[in-house]
Amino acid sequence: SEQLNVKEVLNSKISIYPNPSNDVFYIDAAALSKVEIYDLNGRMLKSFKDVSSNRAISVKDLNKGIYLVKIQSGETFEVKKLIVK
């Protein structure tokens, strides 16, 4: 299975909010092509394609905890930590 390689991007142009989140979150980015949500073991839990940058992404069905959100923007991607409470 594909493992998620996590590295923090210092000059990030992508932000997610609200964080912590309890039902939905939004992604603020110039261009989005794909969004994936992983648990801390690197297992993909959700995948969204063709996401608009103001679309609400639901995490209602996720348990409380810390997740990794892989956000693909064009040819690059960033990984953000998301807390679900």
Side-chain angles (χ1 to χ4, degrees):
S1 65
E2 179 188 335
Q3 284 294 311
L4 187 60
N5 182 20
V6 179
K7 65 177 195 297
E8 292 288 335
V9 178
L10 295 178
N11 58 349
S12 173
K13 295 180 176 62
I14 297 175
S15 60
I16 59 178
Y17 64 92
N19 191 6
S21 169
N22 56 8
D23 54 356
V24 298
F25 72 93
Y26 300 86
I27 299 171
D28 184 12
L32 289 175
S33 48
K34 192 159 66 167
V35 176
E36 296 168 348
I37 300 177
Y38 292 82
D39 65 16
L40 291 181
N41 295 319
R43 285 188 305 241
M44 188 198 301
L45 305 175
K46 291 171 168 273
S47 179
F48 306 91
K49 285 197 167 88
D50 304 319
V51 182
S52 60
S53 60
N54 55 2
R55 177 178 146 199
I57 295 179
S58 174
V59 290
K60 283 189 178 80
D61 54 336
L62 295 181
N63 294 323
K64 294 178 183 174
I66 299 172
Y67 296 89
L68 300 172
V69 182
K70 179 179 173 182
I71 302 161
Q72 188 158 349
S73 175
E75 293 301 305
T76 64
F77 71 86
E78 290 184 25
V79 175
K80 299 283 189 188
K81 268 195 194 118
L82 174 71
I83 298 167
V84 175
K85 59 178 188 176

